[in-house]
């Protein structure tokens, strides 16, 4: 699987769930802590090309996936690819 990028906050349970899924499945990921990096939702929106209302915001490679629930669904749908 391509590199997963998670834009989130350490205080966000959904962000931590998405990060935990990557760790549990052994997926390559980059965690971008918005607070540590001084990033706003507007900064992330400029990076992904769409409005941001919630975190996390997750990309796989250059493909926008969405939030935590979207990412869990994406991983489920691609389970066969992940296993190989």
């Amino acid at each position: 699987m391509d590199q997963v990028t998670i834009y989130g906050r350490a205080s966000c349970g959904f962000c931590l769930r998405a990060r935990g899924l990557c760790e549990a499945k052994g997926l390559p990921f980059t965690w971008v802590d918005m607070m540590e990096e001084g990033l706003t939702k507007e900064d992330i929106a400029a990076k992904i090309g769409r409005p941001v209302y919630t975190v996390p915001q997750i990309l796989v490679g250059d493909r926008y996936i969405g939030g935590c629930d979207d990412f869990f669904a994406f991983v489920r749908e691609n389970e066969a690819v992940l296993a190989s």
Side-chain angles (χ1 to χ4, degrees):
M1 176 180 276
D2 289 335
Q3 180 81 16
V4 176
T5 304
I6 304 170
Y7 293 97
R9 297 183 182 134
S11 61
C12 168
F14 292 107
C15 300
L16 298 177
R17 280 188 62 215
R19 183 177 175 170
L21 179 62
C22 288
E23 292 169 347
K25 297 285 186 181
L27 304 176
F29 74 98
T30 299
W31 167 256
V32 180
D33 188 307
M34 294 171 59
M35 300 303 285
E36 283 182 11
E37 300 293 326
L39 298 171
T40 65
K41 289 179 183 174
E42 290 77 21
D43 295 327
I44 304 307
K47 288 181 184 289
I48 65 174
R50 60 183 65 224
V52 171
Y53 303 107
T54 62
V55 291
Q57 292 295 306
I58 303 170
L59 293 93
V60 175
D62 293 332
R63 179 179 173 190
Y64 176 74
I65 302 301
C68 184
D69 291 341
D70 301 314
F71 183 56
F72 269 73
F74 175 84
V75 170
R76 265 193 314 276
E77 291 166 7
N78 291 281
E79 200 75 49
V81 174
L82 299 174
S84 52

